[in-house]
Amino acid sequence: MTTSSQVRKVEVKPNYENVAWKWMRYSGIALIPLAWTHVLIKDIVVGVHAIDLEYVIVQWSSIGWQVFDILLLAFAFAHGMNGLRQVSFDFIHGAGARKAVSWGLFVMWLVISAMGAIAIIAAAQNHLANL
Amino acid sequence: MTSLVDSFRTTMRGYLTYRGREGHLAFLLHRLTGLGTLLFLIIHIVDTSFVYFAPHLYAETIELYRSTPFMIGEIFLVFSVIYHGVNGVRIAVVDMWLPHKWTLTAQKNWTRWAVLITIVLWLPAAFIMFRSMLVHNFGFGG
Ligand code: HEM
């Protein structure tokens, strides 16, 4: 073994947790423009008193905002749910229990993501069909 | 079942009694703001999906967000998203690109900078949202 003040690089075959760890960092950086732009527009510039059904439908009749909202949904919710999974491992140590919690969170993520994505895509389609 | 309670106790005791000063507080605040934002995000995805699944109910959920308690909550939510983001970038940059720059004193300083940047970004946002609350909910002249 060599001793040195340099950081030593060791090649390790990436496993699932390795990928998840990187995902938290890359998706976090992607969320700076995505989440902050969203908050700046909706909460600060427009404000909750100016948001209603019509406002949302008009937003989603723009393909650009549909894509933006889909990306925000995908990155923010997957980042947050994987974060919750990591926090839960601080409290749950058994391999079987961890597996069960992971699957539970995964199903929850899938169902809620699908609800959000369907609304973004279908609400606008629906509206266009009625024009 | 007892082991679950025990491990919960042990982990919580660690969270609360570890004395890592800046690093400890940054960790707790990062975790709290992340989980808080996630809790809101779950509710928010569902209520927004009402636009398609139950349009007649959408106005009612928005009415709730316009209430004073929720508008105050919104101000803290925005704080959470700013702090968690600034501190998250600190973590990501050190972990992935500057691990050789990691020293305890440097990270203490970076952590303080993260809090300072958060406050500078949050104050104007908080001011605008607070003002909007006074105008819409308490009849102050726009
Ligand atoms: C705004 C940009 C964001 C950045 C730069 C960011 C960055 C990060 C990073 C680097 C971690 C990993 C911490 C670690 O492993 O030690 C993390 C954890 C986490 N994030 Fe984010 N994040 C952002 C937005 C969000 C949003 C919008 C949510 C809510 C859905 C969220 C929820 C969480 C949760 C629940 C954790 C786990 C907390 C923990 O491990 O202590 N984050 N974030």
Side-chain angles (χ1 to χ4, degrees):
Chain A
M1 209 180 111
T2 53
T3 42
S4 112
S5 60
Q6 297 254 281
V7 173
R8 215 156 57 91
K9 286 217 161 118
V10 184
E11 290 302 324
V12 183
K13 210 162 143 247
N15 61 11
Y16 181 81
E17 290 308 329
N18 217 296
V19 174
W21 186 89
K22 281 208 173 120
W23 161 256
M24 289 309 277
R25 280 142 187 83
Y26 283 118
S27 62
I29 288 167
L31 281 169
I32 292 287
L34 288 169
W36 284 12
T37 304
H38 177 78
V39 167
L40 180 64
I41 295 175
K42 313 289 159 165
D43 297 85
I44 299 161
V45 175
V46 176
V48 73
H49 284 271
I51 293 175
D52 56 15
L53 195 66
E54 199 194 323
Y55 172 91
V56 183
I57 296 283
V58 169
Q59 281 283 292
W60 286 344
S61 57
S62 140
I63 179 84
W65 284 116
Q66 276 181 306
V67 171
F68 183 96
D69 283 357
I70 290 275
L71 287 175
L72 177 59
L73 172 66
F75 277 95
F77 198 38
H79 174 101
M81 288 302 267
N82 187 57
L84 177 58
R85 191 184 64 88
Q86 289 173 349
V87 174
S88 79
F89 284 9
D90 260 19
F91 297 91
I92 296 157
H93 304 297
R98 282 186 172 185
K99 204 164 191 180
V101 168
S102 296
W103 275 103
L105 291 176
F106 175 74
V107 170
M108 191 176 152
W109 169 79
L110 202 63
V111 171
I112 297 176
S113 290
M115 281 176 73
I118 289 169
I120 294 170
I121 296 161
Q125 280 356 87
N126 214 27
H127 176 70
L128 291 177
N130 291 333
L131 275 182
Chain B
M1 215 52 217
T2 51
S3 78
L4 197 70
V5 174
D6 283 347
S7 91
F8 181 80
R9 282 219 186 99
T10 311
T11 304
M12 283 315 287
R13 194 177 300 126
Y15 281 5
L16 295 175
T17 59
Y18 170 65
R19 289 189 288 179
R21 304 260 311 230
E22 284 89 341
H24 181 202
L25 294 175
F27 161 76
L28 284 182
L29 198 55
H30 193 80
R31 198 151 261 203
L32 215 63
T33 52
L35 292 174
T37 307
L38 177 63
L39 177 66
F40 173 74
L41 179 60
I42 292 172
I43 299 167
H44 183 49
I45 295 171
V46 173
D47 80 60
T48 306
S49 76
F50 282 6
V51 168
Y52 177 69
F53 292 105
H56 54 289
L57 290 180
Y58 188 68
E60 285 173 45
T61 66
I62 283 292
E63 209 45 61
L64 194 63
Y65 288 150
R66 291 176 182 170
S67 69
T68 301
F70 273 83
M71 287 193 81
I72 292 171
E74 189 187 16
I75 295 175
F76 288 102
L77 175 66
V78 170
F79 174 88
S80 297
V81 176
I82 298 174
Y83 172 78
H84 187 93
V86 174
N87 191 60
V89 168
R90 175 184 69 84
I91 296 172
V93 168
V94 180
D95 282 354
M96 295 197 304
W97 295 292
L98 301 174
H100 54 285
K101 285 269 197 308
W102 191 96
T103 63
L104 196 55
T105 30
Q107 285 316 304
K108 283 191 174 176
N109 282 331
W110 287 36
T111 300
R112 285 155 188 248
W113 273 105
V115 172
L116 195 71
I117 293 169
T118 301
I119 291 173
V120 168
L121 293 175
W122 179 60
L123 280 181
F127 175 81
I128 293 168
M129 286 186 286
F130 191 72
R131 188 174 165 281
S132 166
M133 184 180 82
L134 291 184
V135 170
H136 288 103
N137 295 11
F138 295 95
F140 280 68

